[in-house]
Amino acid sequence: MAIVILAVAGGTGGVGTSTVAFALADRLDAVCVDGDLAMADLPESRGPDFHDVLAGRADPIEAIDESGPVALLACGRTLAGAAACDLASVADTVRAVESEYDRVVVDCPSGLGETVGALLAAADATVLVTRATDGALAGADRVRRLARGLDTGLAAVAVTRSTDTAAARDCFGAPAVGVPESEAVRGATRHGLPVTTYAPDSPAATAVTELASVVRRANV
Amino acid sequence: MVTLTTTAIRERDWTLVTCRLTNQRDDPRLVTVAIPQSEATPPDQPSGTLRVRVPADATVGTGFKTPAPPDSEPLATVERETPVSETVDPARLLDALGGSRPPRRALVGPESPPDSVAPEWLS
C-alpha cells in the first residue's frame, strides 16, 4: 500500500524538520499540515488555520491555503489557540484532508508529547529528520520507537546539514538521504518557500527530490 | 533473575536510596521493589513499592527517599518479577504521553475558572 499520510518528525528541535516537511510536500504534490501547535514555523495563514480546525471552528478543507507553491494547512501562533485544540480530532482532520488531496505530509513538533503521538498515530509512515550528531540521532531514535509503538512504519531518514548518512543508516536500518547545508535553505526559509521551489537546482532541493523518490517507492 | 543493589546516604533527615536493578534474563521483566521502611517517596501502587520495567540483559536505576536510617536492613528488596510483553498497545502508549501545550495558568492566571473551551487537562 502506498503512503498517503506521511509524518515528518525529528525528536530534537532545530534539526530542520519543518524545512524538510515543506519541501517534501512540494516534491510529493501533497498538502502540508503544520502540526507544530505551539511553535509553528511554516508560513502563516490569513484565514482559518489548524488551531481553528482542531477547536471545531473551521472545516479542514476550507482552511487549506492553496495560494502558495504548496497547499498548506497552516497553524496559528497564539498560545490560547494551541491550548484550545482538541487532539482527539487530529486523526479525523488529517484523513479528511487526505480524502480530498490524496497525499498529506505532516510537520510534527519536536519532543515526544501527546501532539506528536496523535500525529504519528494518524500517519501511514514516518520520515525521520536528524542531524548526524549523537544527540540528534538519539532523539530521532526515540521518535522511531514511539512511531513503532503506534504501528507507524519508518519510510526514510533525512540527515540534515550533512552528506554523511552512514551513522543514520546504521542506527535506523532504513534508507537515508543527506540534505547538505546551503544558503538556498536559509533563503527559502526567509521567503517562506520550500527550498525545492526557491532554489530547485540547489543540492538541498536535489536531496529532497531523492528523498521523495525513496518515499514513493516505500510501502506500508 | 533480577538482582538489586542499593546505596544510601543521609541528607537533611532523609535517607536517599539509589537502586540498581540488573536483569540477567533474555526477556524484559516488570520488577516490584518492596520498601519495608514506611513512608518511602515516591509512593507507588501498591503502597510501599516501586515498579520498574527492566529490559532484557540490562541494568536500570531507580531510587526513593525514606526517613529510616541508612543502615536499616533491608532498605529495599525485590518482591516480585514478572515477564512483560514486548508488544505495545497504541492506545495506552498515546495515553502515557505528556502534554506539550501551554498550561492554562500561563495564559489566564491561576485564579481563572475553567471554561467550556479548555480541554480537561487544562483544569
Side-chain angles (χ1 to χ4, degrees):
Chain A
M1 184 178 78
I3 297 167
V4 292
I5 301 175
L6 181 70
V8 180
T12 308
V15 296
T17 306
S18 298
T19 300
V20 171
F22 203 23
L24 195 53
D26 181 38
R27 280 295 181 256
L28 291 171
D29 294 322
V31 173
C32 190
V33 175
D34 189 348
D36 199 342
L37 301 181
M39 291 283 183
D41 53 6
L42 289 179
E44 292 184 66
S45 169
R46 294 177 181 171
D49 55 38
F50 201 25
H51 282 174
D52 296 313
V53 173
L54 294 181
R57 296 189 295 264
D59 179 85
I61 305 304
E62 293 175 354
I64 293 173
D65 181 357
E66 296 183 333
S67 63
V70 176
L72 177 65
L73 179 46
C75 193
R77 261 53 175 180
T78 66
L79 293 177
C85 290
D86 176 14
L87 290 181
S89 61
V90 163
D92 287 344
T93 298
V94 175
R95 286 191 200 101
V97 174
E98 176 265 320
S99 68
E100 190 73 17
Y101 285 85
D102 294 338
R103 185 169 273 163
V104 182
V105 171
V106 182
D107 175 28
C108 295
S110 59
L112 295 178
E114 57 186 351
T115 306
V116 177
L119 294 170
L120 289 174
D124 300 318
T126 307
V127 164
L128 289 177
V129 182
T130 180
R131 294 194 60 187
T133 63
D134 290 344
L137 287 167
D141 187 47
R142 284 191 284 271
V143 173
R144 191 265 299 259
R145 281 185 278 164
L146 173 60
R148 182 185 289 164
L150 296 170
D151 293 332
T152 304
L154 176 60
V157 182
V159 183
T160 54
R161 302 186 193 179
S162 176
T163 55
D164 182 3
T165 60
R169 279 202 307 272
D170 287 348
C171 184
F172 301 112
V177 176
V179 183
E181 184 167 21
S182 73
E183 181 56 38
V185 172
R186 287 186 285 274
T189 303
R190 278 196 304 274
H191 288 82
L193 294 170
V195 68
T196 43
T197 300
Y198 179 78
D201 297 325
S202 64
T206 302
V208 173
T209 302
E210 181 186 349
L211 183 63
S213 298
V214 172
V215 170
R216 281 198 180 93
R217 289 196 298 269
N219 287 307
V220 291
Chain B
M1 65 178 294
V2 175
T3 59
L4 167 67
T5 58
T6 62
T7 62
I9 58 171
R10 193 73 174 170
E11 293 279 352
R12 297 183 182 178
D13 299 329
W14 288 95
T15 296
L16 308 180
V17 182
T18 62
C19 304
R20 285 169 57 89
L21 291 158
T22 300
N23 181 9
Q24 298 168 329
R25 298 177 183 272
D26 56 6
D27 62 330
R29 314 292 283 187
L30 181 64
V31 180
T32 301
V33 178
I35 304 167
Q37 317 300 333
S38 61
E39 299 182 48
T41 304
D44 203 342
Q45 296 296 328
S47 179
T49 64
L50 292 172
R51 287 183 294 178
V52 182
R53 186 182 188 279
V54 187
D57 194 26
T59 298
V60 169
T62 186
F64 58 90
K65 70 175 184 179
T66 173
D71 57 356
S72 301
E73 291 291 343
L75 285 167
T77 59
V78 174
E79 181 178 273
R80 185 169 57 252
E81 57 172 279
T82 54
V84 291
S85 171
E86 292 278 15
T87 58
V88 179
D89 176 16
R92 290 185 64 185
L93 182 56
L94 280 177
D95 288 343
L97 295 175
S100 57
R101 290 175 293 175
R104 179 175 176 77
R105 289 181 180 184
L107 304 176
V108 293
E111 302 305 321
S112 299
D115 58 49
S116 59
V117 175
E120 185 180 358
W121 59 268
L122 282 175
S123 303

